[in-house]
């Protein structure tokens, strides 16, 4: 695997890591105990997937960095996640919409990765896809419930869609690193995943009774290490302990 | 243990593993749950491969440590412990024995063939899902409409 392929691997791993960390913020704060458990479980899945991917990236890099090292000892500009996943949780509708958009993208991506000629990547994807299918179902169910619920819940989820829509192009951004891996046949271009995403999106929106979002200027840059200010504060919380005690074990 | 035939040694290792409980559902062993993938022998000695249930399952690290301890205390010489991801774990790998133990413990075992879920307490199939996520990643929360008791269901995965 070439150095820029490892960089591309971080794009996938960091999406899972950052979204997993975000979801952890709901623990103890969710609208009901069932939702609290659900969001924590989704977070666990994502952090588990990130751990496998980061460990693999570290091994291929060959500089002795493991998942913990990569998660806790990189600064924001070294992160390759999309800006969508670093967005603050907002209200529950925003969290649901963010998760729906992410899962609608991640499902065709991981499905494609299961047939990557890179055997390790393929087996990580095969393990993860089983979990991600559940994520999409869960998010779609809640999307429908909010969209078809009360006037208030509909207003909130429509607003969430308006807000998150601007980051969808960033999710699908094909960086040079990603393109290089695609040319080597490791994975498809993200642009090729867009039709599957659009299909899931339209089906979900129809169930929820949601209209097209307001036109917005798309914001891109996450895959290049250009992030919103929100990532730094998320990382500060996530990284403070291992950075304060770098050699600590327990 | 070089003087022991591999078949006997495999058997002894399997017996040790059958006594390692799942940390979250201690009535079932890691063998019952299908977490033990394989036992083998090569030039460097014996090895055991384990497979995680869910990628983020916090029990995986505990299981690995408990298995390590059990093997070390088993007096069977050095046994290497490997983690394998492929083929991905599925609830089909839970043994018949394991399913029965789950039921008796009050957890509805996964039944991929059936859309209905039987209450592990009274056996009624008049049941409903309360939440797709339960107390651990592998379980969903259900309730029985006949005896009105809530119960955990092992999710098909
Ligand atoms: Zn019952």
């Amino acid at each position: 695997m070439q150095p820029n392929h490892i960089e591309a691997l971080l794009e996938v791993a960091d999406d899972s890591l950052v979204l997993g960390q975000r979801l952890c913020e709901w623990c103890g704060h969710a609208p009901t105990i069932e939702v609290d458990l659900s969001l924590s479980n989704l977070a666990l899945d994502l952090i588990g997937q990130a751990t496998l991917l980061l460990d693999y990236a570290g091994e291929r890099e060959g500089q002795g960095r493991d998942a913990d090292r990569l998660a806790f000892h990189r600064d924001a500009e070294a992160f390759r996640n999309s800006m969508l996943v670093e967005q603050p949780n907002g209200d529950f509708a925003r969290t649901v919409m963010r998760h729906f958009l992410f899962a609608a993208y991640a499902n065709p991506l991981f499905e494609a990765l299961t047939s990557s000629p890179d055997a390790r990547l393929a087996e990580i994807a095969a393990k993860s896809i089983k979990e991600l299918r559940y994520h999409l179902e869960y998010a779609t169910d809640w999307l429908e419930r909010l969209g078809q619920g009360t006037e208030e819940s509909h207003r909130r989820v429509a607003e969430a869609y308006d807000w998150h829509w601007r980051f969808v192009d960033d999710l699908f951004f094909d960086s040079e690193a990603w393109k290089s891996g695609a040319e080597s046949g490791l994975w498809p271009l993200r642009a090729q995943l867009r039709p599957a995403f659009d299909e899931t999106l339209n089906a979900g929106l129809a169930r929820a009774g949601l209209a097209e979002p307001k036109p917005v200027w798309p914001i891109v840059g996450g895959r290049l290490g250009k992030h919103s200010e929100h990532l730094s504060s998320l990382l500060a919380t996530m990284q403070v302990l291992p950075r304060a005690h770098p050699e600590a074990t327990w | 243990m070089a003087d022991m035939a591999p078949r006997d040694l495999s058997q002894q290792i399997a017996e040790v593993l059958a006594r390692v409980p799942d940390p979250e559902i201690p009535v079932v062993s890691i063998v019952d749950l299908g977490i033990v993938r394989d036992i083998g022998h090569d030039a460097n000695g014996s090895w055991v491969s384990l497979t995680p249930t869910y990628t983020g399952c916090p029990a995986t690290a505990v299981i690995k440590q408990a298995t390590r301890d059990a093997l070390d205390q088993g007096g069977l010489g050095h046994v290497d412990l490997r983690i394998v991801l492929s083929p991905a774990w599925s609830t089909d790998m839970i043994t018949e024995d394991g399913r029965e133990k789950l039921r008796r413990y009050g957890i509805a075992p996964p039944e991929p063939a059936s859309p209905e879920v039987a209450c592990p307490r009274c056996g009624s199939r008049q049941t409903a899902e309360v939440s797709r996520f339960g107390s651990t990643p592998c379980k969903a929360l259900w309730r029985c409409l006949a005896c009105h008791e809530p119960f955990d269901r092992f999710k098909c995965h």
Side-chain angles (χ1 to χ4, degrees):
Chain A
M1 195 176 269
Q2 298 168 18
N4 60 350
H5 295 168
I6 295 164
E7 191 93 339
L9 207 52
L10 292 178
E11 296 178 9
V12 183
D14 289 344
D15 272 353
S16 297
L17 177 64
V18 171
L19 186 55
Q21 174 69 18
R22 267 288 177 242
L23 288 177
C24 289
E25 294 169 12
W26 274 108
C27 190
H29 299 273
T32 67
I33 183 77
E34 287 82 8
V35 172
D36 209 286
L37 282 170
S38 306
L39 296 177
S40 297
N41 273 294
L42 298 178
L44 265 181
D45 286 345
L46 291 167
I47 291 169
Q49 293 157 15
T51 307
L52 293 174
L53 289 164
L54 288 173
D55 267 335
Y56 183 42
E59 274 174 42
R60 295 309 296 251
E61 183 190 51
Q63 289 174 21
R65 295 201 288 182
D66 63 1
D68 281 354
R69 191 80 210 164
L70 285 165
F72 298 131
H73 296 273
R74 277 183 300 152
D75 293 333
E77 63 268 26
F79 273 75
R80 292 290 174 268
N81 59 281
S82 71
M83 275 191 262
L84 176 77
V85 297
E86 72 201 35
Q87 293 308 303
N89 287 333
D91 60 12
F92 181 59
R94 276 218 188 170
T95 292
V96 165
M97 181 52 85
R98 185 186 61 199
H99 212 77
F100 172 70
L101 295 170
F102 171 76
Y105 151 82
N107 269 273
L109 170 65
F110 278 77
E111 199 74 66
L113 292 178
T114 60
S115 48
S116 172
D118 183 317
R120 177 83 170 272
L121 188 54
E123 70 176 13
I124 293 172
K127 187 82 199 136
S128 308
I129 188 70
K130 296 178 75 170
E131 298 165 354
L132 289 166
R133 286 189 196 117
Y134 218 70
H135 288 220
L136 183 59
E137 278 177 45
Y138 180 82
T140 312
D141 284 351
W142 269 110
L143 194 68
E144 181 177 11
R145 232 171 272 159
L146 295 173
Q148 305 287 358
T150 63
E151 217 171 281
E152 172 80 1
S153 70
H154 183 92
R155 181 186 66 73
R156 286 188 184 219
V157 79
E159 185 276 337
Y161 189 29
D162 280 342
W163 173 257
H164 286 311
W165 183 248
R166 74 200 70 207
F167 302 109
V168 169
D169 283 357
D170 193 44
L171 197 57
F172 281 90
F173 184 81
D174 280 310
S175 64
E176 289 309 314
W178 191 265
K179 283 183 197 161
S180 164
E183 272 164 30
S184 305
L186 287 173
W187 41 66
L189 286 173
R190 290 198 174 91
Q192 293 171 293
L193 306 170
R194 195 70 189 247
F197 171 85
D198 287 338
E199 200 176 310
T200 308
L201 176 69
N202 292 330
L205 295 178
R207 270 175 64 184
L210 286 171
E212 285 291 298
K214 291 197 190 104
V216 285
W217 195 260
I219 302 174
V220 292
R223 308 290 185 205
L224 306 170
K226 293 178 192 156
H227 294 282
S228 61
E229 63 187 352
H230 304 300
L231 183 65
S232 298
S233 50
L234 176 141
L235 293 181
T237 306
M238 187 178 87
Q239 296 178 334
V240 62
L241 192 67
R243 290 221 184 182
H245 306 278
E247 306 304 328
T249 54
W250 59 83
Chain B
M1 297 293 120
D3 52 341
M4 199 183 283
R7 187 191 300 261
D8 296 340
L9 190 51
S10 295
Q11 184 60 35
Q12 292 198 7
I13 291 172
E15 281 165 17
V16 168
L17 297 174
R19 290 193 296 270
V20 178
D22 176 79
E24 282 169 339
I25 315 169
V27 289
V28 285
S29 75
I30 58 171
V31 174
D32 293 326
L33 282 179
I35 292 169
V36 175
R37 179 59 56 78
D38 213 355
I39 300 169
H41 313 274
D42 56 27
N44 302 319
S46 308
W47 53 266
V48 168
S49 57
L50 302 179
T51 192
T53 52
Y54 284 74
T55 56
C57 186
T60 305
V62 180
I63 288 170
K64 199 176 165 192
Q65 190 56 51
T67 307
R68 178 77 275 157
D69 292 347
L71 289 169
D72 290 348
Q73 287 159 20
L76 299 166
H78 177 71
V79 183
D80 201 29
L81 202 51
R82 304 169 184 180
I83 300 292
V84 293
L85 294 179
S86 181
W89 180 83
S90 99
T91 41
D92 295 344
M93 296 171 185
I94 302 177
T95 63
E96 266 313 307
D97 217 25
R99 282 162 208 271
E100 190 45 41
K101 286 179 190 168
L102 286 172
R103 195 179 345 261
R104 273 187 273 125
Y105 189 60
I107 298 172
E111 295 172 275
S114 166
E116 291 180 325
V117 179
C119 169
R121 290 171 212 280
C122 75
S124 168
R125 291 193 166 264
Q126 301 291 312
T127 54
E129 184 181 79
V130 176
S131 171
R132 303 195 65 165
F133 294 88
S135 53
T136 66
C138 59
K139 287 178 281 174
L141 191 59
W142 281 60
R143 70 196 163 99
C144 177
L145 304 177
C147 73
H148 302 291
E149 286 292 327
F151 63 90
D152 275 337
R153 181 199 182 195
F154 214 102
K155 289 193 289 212
C156 290
H157 183 74

